[in-house]
Amino acid sequence: MKLPFSDLIAFQRDQLNFFTSRGHEATEPLLPLAMGVGNVFLVTDAELVRPILKADESVIDKGRLIYKLREIIGESSMVLSGEEHRARRGAIHAQLSKGITSTYVTEISAVIRQLCAQLTQREAFDAHEATATLAVRIIATILFGHGVLSPADESALIHALHLAEDDLAAQIFKIVPDLPWVRQRKKRKLADANRTMALVVDKTRANAKRHSLISALEKLNLSDKAMHEEILLNMLAGHHTSGSAAAWLLYFLARYPDIAEKIAEEARLISDEAGEIDGSQLAKATTTLAFVKETLRLYPSAYWLSRETKRPIELGGRKLKPGSSLLISPWQLQRDPRYWQDPEKFDLSRTHSGAAYIPFGAGPRVCVGMAFALLELQLFVLEIASSFDVQLLSPEPVNPPIPVITIIPPPMRMRLRPKMAHGKSQRKAA
């Protein structure tokens, strides 16, 4: 018989191994977990994932495990439901879709090239440190407009993000409440982060470009507090999800130079005479897209999702009470040998679809920035592979990722050097 907290202790010891070991060995579609926080089940049958994520929010919705984050991200769209959630999501989606077809390709490519030019001047750099900085610059460009955020504002935002991120993971499955002085210290730190964020946002809102994401959010007439919370959520989401994925893309470019050369050729085929990538031709870069999707299969930034039943339902052969938590782990499902042949192998020939492929989630709460993230990561790979050689300086195999709210890549020292062809760089680097 399991002790009430036995699975929670195992989870806190090694989250990624917990999901893979429990999920791969499970013989039932909903595996009960002893997490000490009510009825908790791990969804091990991929065929149940989309019905859960697509269920009406009156039946299954985000629950108490996510609501614990309100102290950090406030009443942002991550925790909202109903009409307010749909309104904010609709505004963000509409603006991102508009940008993808107009300005984003040029703006993102410029930010990538700028960072690459800086990295080539360094003997070595840490992959995630570099790509997390890149992710902040890109999301700031989308939020405020290209060139609006100063280097000082960027540094302040990164500092504020780090202050907020420190406590995110610990909030989810906390058994014992923080001692009063610990709680006060965390509150002060979070207040510092929010003040910094508010100062930067208020300073830049006045100069935000008309096509920026802030301009779309302002049409919703949000309060200053709601605006700050929504921007903090977008910064947090964009910082580590895209930043982590881009670090793994660098890693695989270094490991597979033959694939990198194929991607470089695709970049040349879809670029104009000035060396600028033509966004309308991205669909032809099939190797690049497969490269991004396979990286997201092995290293999905969000390694688990949570939902909660709002009324009695029958699911996976079980009768669930209201308040039952359902945990879904893309990390586990996307490495499950029941759904993937040789699942630990990096293989571009896979079909990246189906019930067990959910790096962005699914249903009405699927990542609102999914199309934008794919665009951003494709452009990153194309720009890097076409103009640079990536060298991994850290010993192989690298350490496992570090799970917090997202999975953070381990330290990976790398070097970036311009490709040379007949004494000249093949494509413009900056």
Side-chain angles (χ1 to χ4, degrees):
M1 182 177 178
K2 284 186 176 181
L3 297 173
F5 294 100
S6 59
D7 283 326
L8 179 56
I9 294 169
F11 172 83
Q12 292 179 329
R13 185 183 302 121
D14 187 344
Q15 292 98 313
L16 299 181
N17 182 62
F18 174 83
F19 281 125
T20 52
S21 61
R22 296 295 194 279
H24 292 4
E25 296 168 5
T27 58
E28 47 192 324
L30 293 180
L31 180 68
L33 300 176
M35 304 292 275
V37 288
N39 296 320
V40 181
F41 299 89
L42 177 63
V43 180
T44 64
D45 183 352
E47 296 300 330
L48 292 179
V49 170
R50 279 173 173 76
I52 291 170
L53 297 180
K54 292 183 177 181
D56 189 276
E57 61 189 25
S58 66
V59 179
I60 299 176
D61 198 9
K62 292 203 169 184
R64 62 188 181 279
L65 297 181
I66 295 299
Y67 293 155
K68 285 185 176 184
L69 300 181
R70 279 176 166 153
E71 186 173 335
I72 296 171
I73 57 175
E75 295 294 332
S76 59
S77 54
M78 176 176 278
V79 299
L80 290 173
S81 296
E83 187 56 39
E84 181 64 21
H85 171 259
R86 287 188 285 273
R88 294 195 194 184
R89 181 183 177 86
I92 294 170
H93 181 267
Q95 186 58 48
L96 291 179
S97 298
K98 188 188 302 181
I100 287 172
T101 59
S102 56
T103 62
Y104 286 172
V105 170
T106 301
E107 291 175 345
I108 293 172
S109 290
V111 175
I112 293 169
R113 291 179 181 184
Q114 181 186 45
L115 180 67
C116 288
Q118 296 168 354
L119 294 178
T120 58
Q121 304 303 310
R122 297 163 61 177
E123 186 59 30
F125 60 89
D126 177 72
H128 185 244
E129 180 183 332
T131 57
T133 298
L134 175 66
V136 168
R137 291 179 182 177
I138 290 175
I139 193 64
T141 296
I142 304 311
L143 278 166
F144 307 112
H146 186 60
V148 171
L149 204 65
S150 70
D153 290 334
E154 177 188 296
S155 297
L157 275 180
I158 291 174
H159 177 68
L161 288 172
H162 287 164
L163 288 175
E165 288 163 349
D166 286 345
D167 296 330
L168 275 173
Q171 287 293 107
I172 299 293
F173 288 108
K174 186 180 291 295
I175 303 174
V176 180
D178 288 326
L179 294 170
W181 54 88
V182 175
R183 182 171 177 79
Q184 284 301 114
R185 186 179 70 239
K186 289 183 176 180
K187 277 190 169 183
R188 286 195 299 270
K189 186 169 68 172
L190 184 60
D192 287 344
N194 286 333
R195 277 194 296 272
T196 300
M197 182 71 65
L199 285 171
V200 173
V201 169
D202 290 342
K203 175 183 173 183
T204 53
R205 277 174 71 177
N207 298 320
K209 305 293 177 63
R210 284 189 299 173
H211 66 274
S212 67
L213 192 53
I214 277 188
S215 67
L217 290 172
E218 285 183 333
K219 294 176 183 177
L220 298 176
N221 296 317
L222 301 178
S223 67
D224 286 345
K225 181 175 182 294
M227 177 70 83
H228 295 160
E229 291 169 346
E230 203 63 43
I231 291 170
L232 174 59
L233 172 63
N234 278 274
M235 295 295 296
L236 285 169
H239 181 218
H240 268 323
T241 54
S242 295
S244 295
W248 290 112
L249 291 171
L250 277 178
Y251 170 73
F252 285 121
L253 284 173
R255 282 197 63 187
Y256 300 107
D258 55 332
I259 298 177
E261 188 50 45
K262 291 179 181 178
I263 294 171
E265 180 58 29
E266 284 190 341
R268 288 189 282 272
L269 290 174
I270 66 169
S271 296
D272 60 23
E273 293 182 357
E276 299 288 344
I277 292 172
D278 182 350
S280 67
Q281 301 297 307
L282 270 175
K284 296 179 180 179
T286 54
T287 298
T288 305
L289 182 58
F291 185 84
V292 169
K293 288 186 173 182
E294 179 67 352
T295 300
L296 292 173
R297 181 187 71 83
L298 285 170
Y299 295 100
S301 296
Y303 66 100
W304 67 277
L305 313 169
S306 169
R307 292 294 185 270
E308 185 175 301
T309 57
K310 310 308 287 185
R311 65 188 192 198
I313 63 168
E314 185 167 339
L315 187 70
R318 286 183 175 273
K319 292 182 178 179
L320 303 180
K321 299 177 181 179
S324 298
S325 292
L326 303 170
L327 303 185
I328 299 166
S329 174
W331 171 271
Q332 182 267 317
L333 290 171
Q334 292 176 184
R335 291 170 177 260
D336 194 322
R338 292 175 296 175
Y339 305 111
W340 308 91
Q341 185 176 0
D342 199 1
E344 300 296 325
K345 180 183 178 182
F346 189 83
D347 184 358
L348 298 192
S349 68
R350 300 184 193 276
T351 301
H352 296 99
S353 61
Y357 188 74
I358 50 167
F360 295 101
R365 288 187 181 272
V366 67
C367 174
V368 69
M370 179 176 66
F372 172 76
L374 285 173
L375 172 69
E376 175 185 1
L377 296 174
Q378 279 182 274
L379 291 174
F380 178 73
V381 173
L382 288 163
E383 291 287 351
I384 296 286
S386 62
S387 296
F388 303 96
D389 289 317
V390 186
Q391 302 170 12
L392 178 66
L393 304 180
S394 295
E396 286 268 36
V398 296
N399 291 326
I402 304 158
V404 283
I405 289 298
T406 60
I407 52 172
I408 308 302
M412 293 187 289
R413 291 181 68 250
M414 293 191 169
R415 180 183 295 134
L416 205 62
R417 291 293 179 263
K419 284 183 175 179
M420 304 302 291
H422 307 296
K424 295 183 179 180
S425 176
Q426 290 185 15
R427 293 181 75 245
K428 185 169 57 178

